[in-house]
Amino acid sequence: MADRVTLVEVAPRDGLQNEPVRLTAAEKIRLIEGLADAGLPVVEAGAFVSPKWVPQMAESGAVLQGLTRRPGVRYPVLTPNLKGYRAARAAGADEVAVFAAASETFSRRNINCSIAESLDRFAPVFAAARADGVPVRGYISCVLGCPYEGPVEPGAVADVAAALHDRGCAEISLGDTIGTGTPTATRTVLAAVTDRVPVTRLAAHFHDTYGQALANLLVALDAGVRIIDTAVTGLGGCPYARGAGGNVATEDVLFMLDGMGIATGVDRPRLLDVSAWLSARLDRPAASKAARALLARRGEQSMEDS
Ligand code: HMG
Ligand code: MG
């Protein structure tokens, strides 16, 4: 088993893109800086998408520009097309992500084009990024099920993964967008994808709608995946995947990995400070069981100490 895993914190993007509560740019910056200070090595900082489609990400330029970057931390942003890429670069982005899907219907609902058309739209992004020396992450949604089409063929996922890999994606994140995956299905899709793409290039991006994410992550770890996307408090969702639960929580994954002796570099007390702040700001408890339990324990201990 691994002795080190890279956590990619996606709450400031995936977590907030579907939130009814709108954080200001200053609050988003506070969130991102807090996560980086807690030791998260990669913090997804926003999305340069249409503000008509996803208004919650409208201030991504101001966020990137206002951010104090921690040395060594990466701050990727979503860029669905060249327009988004140019805006992201103008705001100082030095790592971007394109996002495709393994299901045609989801692709149309999410980015208004077919899978093949999406790859064409990404071509100028890849070309510009290559010229600028900017790494590109690639997401694939619906790898374990689609909200419109139901089950998704592992071969379809592998085709999109291979296409993104061939076009130069440094990393490919496999999204269980609606969280319907179970361990056996996770093993099957990973086997299909790793036939075509080296496992070292893969990340697991699991939403926890049905409480399967940790079990599925264990399968992914077993298959050799060493990059895991998480969101503090378990925040998350996609505006084009109704009923999708939040991302697997950073606190839950951290509790599991710490317990297994797998290093992440994340400082649990500092992460809990961010978790407590975000829950207070959103005016609801964390979706994460680990966050709630650890914060309750911390509260009890401070009462005992006083
Ligand atoms: P479109 O309507 O097909 O684009 O949208 P268009 O090129 O025809 O342009 C239409 C309008 O959008 C124009 O403005 C463009 O300027 C503008 P108008 O002339 O009407 O005023 N536009 C843009 N504005 C800002 N930034 C841009 C941009 N591009 C065009 N980059 C588009 C295509 C992709 C832009 C649109 O469908 C969109 O923004 N979709 C948002 C999708 C999204 O953000 N989804 C959530 C993230 S994906 C996700 O959550 C899944 C993931 O977490 C993994 C998982 O869990 O599975 C990653
Ligand atoms: Mg997601």
Side-chain angles (χ1 to χ4, degrees), residues 33-102:
E33 290 180 354
L35 291 163
D37 288 347
L40 269 313
V42 190
V43 185
E44 202 168 58
F48 289 79
V49 298
S50 164
K52 287 184 192 150
W53 285 61
V54 187
Q56 290 90 334
M57 291 291 112
E59 48 287 288
S60 292
V63 170
L64 266 192
Q65 278 165 338
L67 202 59
T68 302
R69 288 164 185 256
R70 203 180 160 86
V73 175
R74 294 156 48 203
Y75 301 91
V77 292
L78 298 195
T79 56
N81 52 21
L82 193 56
K83 184 181 171 82
Y85 177 82
R86 289 201 175 121
R89 288 288 289 159
D94 53 16
E95 183 168 339
V96 300
V98 295
F99 46 107

Side-chain angles (χ1 to χ4, degrees), residues 84-248:
Y85 177 82
R86 289 201 175 121
R89 288 288 289 159
D94 53 16
E95 183 168 339
V96 300
V98 295
F99 46 107
S103 136
E104 286 292 351
T105 313
F106 185 83
S107 181
R108 288 198 179 278
R109 299 286 176 105
N110 194 36
I111 51 174
N112 204 24
C113 63
S114 70
I115 296 169
E117 284 164 347
S118 75
L119 295 171
D120 289 346
R121 282 186 191 180
F122 302 154
V125 176
F126 282 120
R130 197 173 306 117
D132 296 345
V134 167
V136 183
R137 173 175 238 236
Y139 279 102
I140 308 176
S141 287
C142 300
V143 304
L144 287 159
C146 168
Y148 309 103
E149 296 182 13
V152 169
E153 278 299 314
V157 180
D159 286 347
V160 180
L164 291 174
H165 181 246
D166 293 349
R167 283 163 174 75
C169 273
E171 195 171 292
I172 296 162
S173 176
L174 302 175
D176 184 8
T177 315
I178 53 170
T180 48
T182 52
T184 310
T186 304
R187 191 172 296 118
T188 305
V189 79
L190 282 172
V193 174
T194 52
D195 261 358
R196 313 269 298 273
V197 176
V199 72
T200 49
R201 295 290 183 98
L202 300 180
H205 177 106
F206 295 162
H207 286 253
D208 202 25
T209 320
Y210 300 97
Q212 302 298 299
L214 286 181
N216 296 343
L217 283 175
L218 209 49
V219 168
L221 284 169
D222 216 28
V225 174
R226 296 291 177 265
I227 307 165
I228 299 177
D229 298 359
T230 65
V232 67
T233 74
L235 206 62
C238 175
Y240 304 99
R242 293 260 167 264
N247 290 88
V248 67

Side-chain angles (χ1 to χ4, degrees), residues 7 250-269 271 294:
L7 296 184
T250 311
E251 297 88 332
D252 290 19
V253 174
L254 195 62
F255 192 88
M256 181 175 92
L257 296 180
D258 282 352
M260 293 170 72
I262 299 173
T264 60
V266 178
D267 179 304
R268 204 194 285 181
L271 181 73
L294 290 166

